[in-house]
Amino acid sequence: MAVQRAAALRLLLVAMAVAAARGAVGGGAPAKVPAIFVFGDSTVDVGNNNYLPWSSARADFPHNGVDFPGGKPTGRFSNGLIGVDFIAAAMGFGRSPPPYLSLVAMAANSSSSNSSVEVMNKNNRTMMAAASSGMKGANFASGGSGLLDSTGTTINMTKQIEYFSDLRDQISTMLSADKASTLLSKSIFLISAGGNDAFDFFSQNKSPDSTAIQEFCEAMVSTYDSHVKTLYNLGARKFAVINVPYLGCCPYLRSQSPTGECMEPLNQLAKRLNSEIQDLFRDLSSEMQGMKYSIASSYEVISSLIKNPQAAGLVEVKSACCGGGGRFNADKACTPSSSCCTDRSKYLFWDLLHPTQATYKIVGHAFYDGAARFVSPITFKQLAAA
């Protein structure tokens, strides 16, 4: 198994080198799909939480973004680009579509009580520009959210889908119902969620019995089923799913372990959820006409990197690059006053919970066109072409 994992990592890294040499990622290639619509948590949030002034689940401050083009924090929970940026680039876009709330703010900021024709025309143009941008996709993800609406206090999944429904209506108004339907059916709907739900469940149930675990998993799968069917009824056909991560080995969880080792019960919970999510999508694809899906295993990629970091050029896979105090630099979250490593490309983890840009690059490539152990039953690349 270790030999197979190392071989898969080597093949992935070779593919990344070839893609870079060809300029295939972010190289201005034509988009392979009309649009990308993103739903989920902080692993794919590119700035929606910036528009939640009451929330502490934000990353719109240094050291976040230190390696982002221009060196500015954007609301991404990382030192630079995140996985969805690399996936979008591989599909022919510059990076992730913009946060939906930035499009809303664009339209809102253009409004005015001045009723002059000039101002009204300007407002209309701005609102049309926002909707036009949305036709190439939008990112609805919100750090801290989960599949269950009871998880977190940010933009829950139900609300994210409601936002998409609003945007869909705007797109249908600009185009036509038929053209909008065609656009959506060919677009990618990317979902990365479930980690916060598992983390919250584990936090509240340190030693859950089999009944509690069963009830939690059933609630998760039932809710996922409902969300996917809602998106399908709104026009989604191509689902790119990122499964529950290898949660128990993040710096925060290690810091809570007396031995400093991974919290294996949490990893086992994630593994069980992933198995049931896989079964769910297999069943849904046989029920819903025209539905296609690809499941990317964040669990497998991160566990492989932890077990064989040298293959990917990583050195530190236990400690946070940005944080403060205690074991694994994980007593405190990443803030402007935190200590921050200089060799960020060598770190797996950026902060208490989230990967570095270097890790996200590997993850993005693995999901787009990696080995079957990392993405199945087809790759994101094949899903885009399907």
Side-chain angles (χ1 to χ4, degrees), residues 102-113:
S102 72
L103 302 180
V104 173
M106 182 192 304
N109 289 339
S110 72
S111 64
S112 169
S113 59

Side-chain angles (χ1 to χ4, degrees), residues 12 34 53 63 87 93 145 150 152 174 196 211 260 265 321 336 339 365 379:
L12 172 60
H63 300 284
I87 293 166
F93 299 89
S145 68
S150 58
M174 291 187 66
N196 287 327
T211 300
C321 170
S339 63
H365 282 274
T379 65

Side-chain angles (χ1 to χ4, degrees), residues 37 129 131 150 159 280 297 364:
F37 300 96
S150 58
K159 188 64 178 179
L280 168 68
S297 184

Side-chain angles (χ1 to χ4, degrees), residues 31-270:
K32 295 175 174 60
V33 293
I36 301 175
F37 300 96
V38 183
F39 306 83
D41 53 31
S42 59
T43 58
V44 286
D45 184 359
V46 296
N48 278 307
N49 282 15
N50 296 356
Y51 298 88
L52 307 180
W54 41 265
S55 176
S56 61
R58 293 168 61 166
D60 53 342
F61 52 82
H63 300 284
N64 296 300
V66 63
D67 296 309
F68 192 84
K72 61 180 180 180
T74 62
R76 288 166 172 81
F77 292 79
S78 187
N79 57 304
L81 298 168
I82 60 175
V84 67
D85 292 309
F86 293 106
I87 293 166
M91 291 187 180
F93 299 89
R95 58 177 68 112
S96 167
Y100 174 71
L101 293 186
S102 72
L103 302 180
V104 173
M106 182 192 304
N109 289 339
S110 72
S111 64
S112 169
S113 59
N114 192 321
S115 60
S116 71
V117 173
E118 181 180 353
V119 171
M120 289 177 66
N121 287 340
K122 180 180 178 182
N123 293 344
N124 288 337
R125 287 195 301 270
T126 305
M127 293 178 71
M128 291 288 280
S132 178
S133 177
M135 281 195 288
K136 295 181 180 180
N139 188 314
F140 303 89
S142 176
S145 68
L147 283 169
L148 305 175
D149 287 348
S150 58
T151 298
T153 57
T154 52
I155 308 169
N156 62 43
M157 186 67 74
T158 296
K159 188 64 178 179
Q160 291 180 35
I161 296 173
E162 287 176 5
Y163 282 152
F164 166 71
S165 181
D166 292 341
L167 181 59
R168 170 184 175 271
D169 291 343
Q170 295 171 24
I171 293 172
S172 297
T173 299
M174 291 187 66
L175 301 175
S176 66
D178 287 344
K179 289 182 178 179
S181 178
T182 298
L183 181 149
L184 296 177
S185 70
K186 295 180 178 179
S187 297
I188 293 290
F189 286 74
L190 189 151
I191 305 173
S192 179
N196 287 327
D197 305 282
F199 184 83
D200 284 0
F201 173 78
F202 184 79
S203 297
Q204 298 165 19
N205 302 270
K206 294 297 184 182
S207 301
D209 58 27
S210 59
T211 300
I213 293 173
Q214 178 68 23
E215 290 176 350
F216 172 69
C217 290
E218 288 177 353
M220 287 283 285
V221 171
S222 174
T223 303
Y224 217 148
D225 176 270
S226 177
H227 289 322
V228 171
K229 287 178 177 175
T230 300
L231 286 169
Y232 179 88
N233 290 333
L234 289 170
R237 292 296 181 270
K238 297 184 179 185
F239 293 86
V241 179
I242 299 175
N243 72 10
V244 182
Y246 197 58
L247 297 168
C249 295
C250 68
Y252 175 73
L253 269 301
R254 282 187 186 273
S255 73
Q256 301 300 301
S257 168
T259 63
E261 297 301 316
C262 300
M263 290 280 195
E264 284 307 321
L266 184 52
N267 285 335
Q268 290 305 309
L269 176 61

Side-chain angles (χ1 to χ4, degrees), residues 268-348:
Q268 290 305 309
L269 176 61
K271 188 173 184 178
R272 174 169 176 173
L273 283 170
N274 289 337
S275 177
E276 298 198 14
I277 289 169
Q278 187 171 12
D279 291 344
L280 168 68
F281 275 88
R282 185 188 61 243
D283 293 344
L284 286 175
S285 67
S286 66
E287 296 172 12
M288 301 194 295
Q289 184 177 2
M291 176 190 169
K292 302 176 180 68
Y293 74 95
S294 172
I295 299 180
S297 184
S298 175
Y299 186 100
E300 284 294 333
V301 176
I302 297 301
S303 64
S304 294
L305 291 175
I306 288 175
K307 292 167 185 174
N308 190 14
Q310 294 81 8
L314 299 176
V315 174
E316 178 52 65
V317 298
K318 295 182 179 181
S319 297
C321 170
C322 182
R327 293 186 301 171
F328 310 114
N329 202 28
D331 270 4
K332 299 177 182 178
C334 181
T335 68
S337 60
S338 296
S339 63
C340 183
C341 67
T342 56
D343 51 347
R344 295 178 288 277
S345 66
K346 303 298 183 184
Y347 274 67
L348 174 62

